[in-house]
């Protein structure tokens, strides 16, 4: 079904020529033109309803083929980069360093996702031939290929390929399975193939237990916990019991609200805000456990009622009204509030300096950079800052300064230490927005600037200026 569309969009030439960036760009331009024409004139495609459904399916299959082509090229990049580093005498344990980050930049995704894409690309072609054939033919998505690779990762190569044949040898049957159905079936076959390996994998997974947080709409957050099944079910049962008790006593809150409030109250030393507001009492508050919130807001928003958004470290932008509520709520609980003056550029709105009188210089500088950059400085990486890093390495003479400092996640900091990577201040300093330019081993480069705290009039990009000039 996809062959006519591919033939329409593919310029003539050898496969290698058809995969060059300019040729692929021509495919995208032709397809974009067709979509634009259809949007400008409803019915402009000239297709009836069945043909429209067929076209949608053809495009879905094409998207699968495209993702398989990306995987193939990623694996080829990995081979070339490793060979080049081996030829230059780079230690073997550093041959693959930073390659996943290059894939991430090309796919406009986080380095973590880029490494996952690369890992799948290098494994599936060697160890899962039937799955690879189905993916390459447009029968399954990249995610379904990921499910099969993930659920068979604990098996030996012969066992893995046996499960691959049972699952993917019939592409029609594989194509019709849902994600959950597929995951359950592959997991069941893996357990039958090597029960001991599955048990060992489960025990190793328990070491990866963790709690994570990510923003949700309407100034809410998703707080997630990855726990061993017994502990996770126990926590859920405890919260459910609290909800049952509250419901039976006539509590007006919903079941979900009771469970959420019970979780907050059990972890922190004071009731959840909703509980305190509902009770409306003036009882003495319990002492704070010493939790620190990095809240950045303008003096106008704090003292003059301005509606300029604030920034909550670990979450992102929040309304000024909520920021003031957090500050006043902290004061009414008799908790300590530390106020530090931060200075912004009048044009860009970016943080350029901090009042360092209350701390040692290094501690103040580190905190300033974390508040300035907010999340990992790498484009498309939304990870929390774990390292305050020198853009130009200290060993190469890089200064420990605001201009040469950047907040990064752990993975991105290690990736840029791979051979061929370089970074440094791109412009003149604070007046130019603390811009940093990073160059990849392939010659591609990107420039990032910290996000502004308040309104900005400067037309330059906030975080990314990506140059495909390698």
């Amino acid at each position: 079904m996809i062959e006519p569309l591919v033939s329409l969009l593919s310029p003539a030439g050898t496969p290698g020529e058809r995969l060059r960036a300019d040729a692929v760009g021509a495919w995208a331009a032709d397809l974009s033109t067709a979509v634009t024409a259809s949007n400008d004139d409803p019915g402009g495609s000239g297709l009836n309803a069945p043909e429209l459904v067929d076209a949608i399916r053809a495009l879905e299959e094409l998207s699968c083929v495209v993702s398989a082509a990306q995987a193939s090229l990623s694996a080829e990049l990995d081979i070339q980069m490793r060979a080049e580093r081996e030829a230059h005498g780079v230690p073997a344990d550093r041959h693959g360093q930073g390659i996943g980050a290059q894939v991430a930049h090309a796919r406009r995704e986080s380095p973590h996702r880029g490494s996952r894409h690369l890992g799948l690309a290098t494994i599936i072609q060697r160890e899962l031939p039937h799955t690879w054939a189905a993916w390459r033919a447009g029968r399954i998505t990249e995610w379904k290929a990921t499910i099969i690779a993930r659920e068979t990762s604990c098996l030996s190569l012969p066992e893995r390929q046996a499960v691959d044949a049972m699952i993917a040898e019939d592409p029609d049957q594989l194509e019709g399975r849902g994600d959950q159905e597929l995951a359950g079936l592959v997991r069941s076959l893996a357990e039958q193939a090597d029960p001991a390996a599955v048990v060992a994998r489960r025990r190793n997974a328990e070491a990866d237990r963790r709690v994570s947080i990510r923003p949700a709409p309407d100034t809410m957050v998703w707080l997630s916990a990855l726990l061993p099944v017994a502990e996770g079910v126990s926590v859920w049962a405890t919260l459910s019991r609290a909800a049952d008790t509250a419901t039976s006593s006539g509590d007006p809150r919903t079941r979900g609200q009771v469970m959420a409030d019970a979780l907050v109250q059990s972890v922190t030393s004071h009731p959840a805000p909703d509980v305190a507001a509902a009770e409306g009492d003036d009882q003495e508050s319990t002492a704070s456990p010493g939790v620190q919130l990095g809240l950045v807001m303008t003096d106008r928003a704090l003292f003059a009622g301005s509606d300029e958004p604030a920034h909550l470290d670990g979450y992102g932008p929040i309304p000024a009204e909520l920021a003031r509520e957090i500050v006043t709520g902290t004061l009414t609980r008799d908790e300590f509030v530390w106020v530090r003056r931060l200075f912004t550029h009048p044009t860009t709105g970016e943080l350029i300096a901090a009042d360092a009188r209350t701390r040692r210089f290094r501690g103040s500088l580190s905190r300033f950079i974390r508040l300035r950059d907010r999340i990992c400085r790498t484009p498309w990486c939304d990870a929390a800052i774990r390292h305050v890093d020198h853009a130009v390495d200290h060993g190469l003479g890089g200064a420990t300064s605001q201009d040469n400092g950047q907040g990064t996640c752990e993975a991105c900091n290690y990736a840029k230490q791979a051979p061929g990577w370089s970074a440094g201040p791109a412009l003149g300093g604070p007046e130019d927005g603390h811009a940093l330019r990073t160059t990849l081993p392939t010659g591609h480069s990107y420039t990032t600037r910290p996000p502004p705290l308040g309104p900005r009039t400067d037309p330059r990009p906030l975080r990314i200026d990506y140059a495909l000039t390698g």
Side-chain angles (χ1 to χ4, degrees):
M1 186 178 295
I2 63 174
E3 287 81 7
L5 183 57
V6 174
S7 299
L8 175 65
L9 298 179
S10 300
T14 65
E17 291 173 340
R18 291 197 296 268
L19 281 175
R20 291 181 60 88
D22 53 355
V24 175
W27 304 357
D30 289 343
L31 186 57
S32 177
T33 299
V35 172
T36 301
S38 179
N39 286 342
D40 293 341
D41 177 19
S45 66
L47 303 177
N48 58 32
E51 290 171 336
L52 289 170
V53 172
D54 288 341
I56 293 170
R57 169 60 68 87
L59 288 169
E60 173 60 26
E61 293 178 356
L62 179 61
S63 71
C64 295
V65 174
V66 168
S67 66
Q70 288 178 312
S72 179
L73 297 178
S74 298
E76 187 175 346
L77 174 66
D78 184 68
I79 293 172
Q80 288 189 15
M81 295 296 298
R82 288 176 181 271
E84 180 180 334
R85 290 172 180 178
E86 182 178 12
H88 285 81
V90 176
D93 62 350
R94 298 185 64 195
H95 284 177
Q97 189 175 15
I99 300 177
Q102 295 182 66
V103 173
H105 286 299
R107 296 190 62 161
R108 293 183 292 195
E109 294 194 87
S110 70
H112 173 71
R113 286 185 177 271
S115 296
R116 292 182 63 176
H117 289 310
L118 180 59
L120 178 64
T122 56
I123 289 172
I124 196 167
Q125 297 182 56
R126 299 194 309 261
E127 302 185 8
L128 298 168
H130 296 287
T131 301
W132 173 235
W135 184 12
R136 202 171 59 240
R139 307 299 290 271
I140 62 173
T141 62
E142 182 177 10
W143 176 242
K144 284 189 174 179
T146 300
I147 289 173
I148 297 173
R150 180 190 68 197
E151 299 299 338
T152 59
S153 62
C154 61
L155 302 178
S156 65
L157 180 58
E159 292 167 339
R160 192 176 207 184
Q161 291 182 335
V163 173
D164 173 57
M166 287 186 281
I167 289 291
E169 195 169 25
D170 184 347
D172 290 329
Q173 190 177 47
L174 174 63
E175 184 178 4
R177 298 190 187 280
D179 293 348
Q180 293 299 323
E181 178 190 8
L182 178 63
L185 181 58
V186 178
R187 191 179 304 118
S188 175
L189 292 173
E191 291 171 352
Q192 296 175 39
D194 192 345
V198 173
V199 171
R201 174 178 177 172
R202 175 180 61 79
R203 290 174 176 169
N204 288 334
E206 292 177 355
D208 196 34
R209 59 191 183 278
R210 62 184 180 273
V211 177
S212 59
I213 190 172
R214 67 185 189 278
D218 304 320
T219 58
M220 304 286 281
V221 296
W222 294 105
L223 179 67
S224 305
L226 180 64
L227 302 172
V229 62
E231 285 79 357
V233 172
S234 176
V235 170
W236 179 262
T238 301
L239 297 176
S240 296
R241 188 163 56 248
D244 292 338
T245 301
T247 300
S248 63
S249 64
D251 194 307
R253 293 173 295 171
T254 65
R255 182 179 182 82
Q257 289 173 339
V258 172
M259 295 175 70
D261 293 346
L263 176 63
V264 172
Q265 191 167 1
S266 66
V267 175
T268 64
S269 62
H270 53 267
D274 284 348
V275 176
E279 292 175 351
D281 55 30
D282 296 323
Q283 60 184 340
E284 293 185 5
S285 60
T286 310
S288 167
V291 176
Q292 295 187 10
L293 296 179
L295 180 62
V296 184
M297 60 193 305
T298 66
D299 54 352
R300 297 178 297 275
L302 179 59
F303 299 115
S306 169
D307 291 329
E308 295 171 285
H311 177 84
L312 182 61
D313 194 24
Y315 176 82
I318 63 173
E321 181 271 336
L322 176 58
R324 288 190 291 269
E325 183 178 311
I326 291 174
V327 173
T328 56
T330 302
L331 293 173
T332 57
R333 289 194 297 267
D334 297 327
E335 296 175 344
F336 286 106
V337 175
W338 291 87
V339 178
R340 182 184 303 280
R341 293 182 298 173
L342 303 174
F343 303 93
T344 61
H345 190 275
T347 301
T348 65
E350 296 153 4
L351 294 179
I352 58 174
D355 185 353
R357 290 178 298 175
T358 61
R359 294 194 180 200
R360 292 177 301 172
F361 173 75
R362 289 181 62 87
S364 176
L365 179 59
S366 173
R367 182 169 178 80
F368 167 77
I369 291 175
R370 289 175 184 272
L371 292 174
R372 182 196 69 188
D373 291 350
R374 304 185 189 177
I375 58 174
C376 179
R377 194 70 177 261
T378 304
W380 306 294
C381 182
D382 293 329
I385 293 175
R386 295 285 180 251
H387 294 175
V388 176
D389 177 50
H390 292 79
V392 178
D393 288 346
H394 186 268
L396 298 177
T400 304
S401 65
Q402 297 171 4
D403 294 344
N404 192 47
Q406 60 178 344
T408 66
C409 68
E410 186 174 3
C412 290
N413 186 25
Y414 293 149
K416 79 177 194 65
Q417 296 174 11
W421 288 68
S422 63
L427 300 170
E431 295 76 11
D432 292 312
H434 295 288
L436 295 173
R437 178 173 292 276
T438 300
T439 303
L440 282 63
T442 55
H444 299 77
S445 63
Y446 62 87
T447 301
T448 63
R449 296 178 177 86
L453 176 61
R456 68 192 294 272
T457 58
D458 181 45
R460 294 173 300 181
L462 295 181
R463 284 182 55 81
I464 303 171
D465 177 14
Y466 189 44
L468 290 170
T469 57

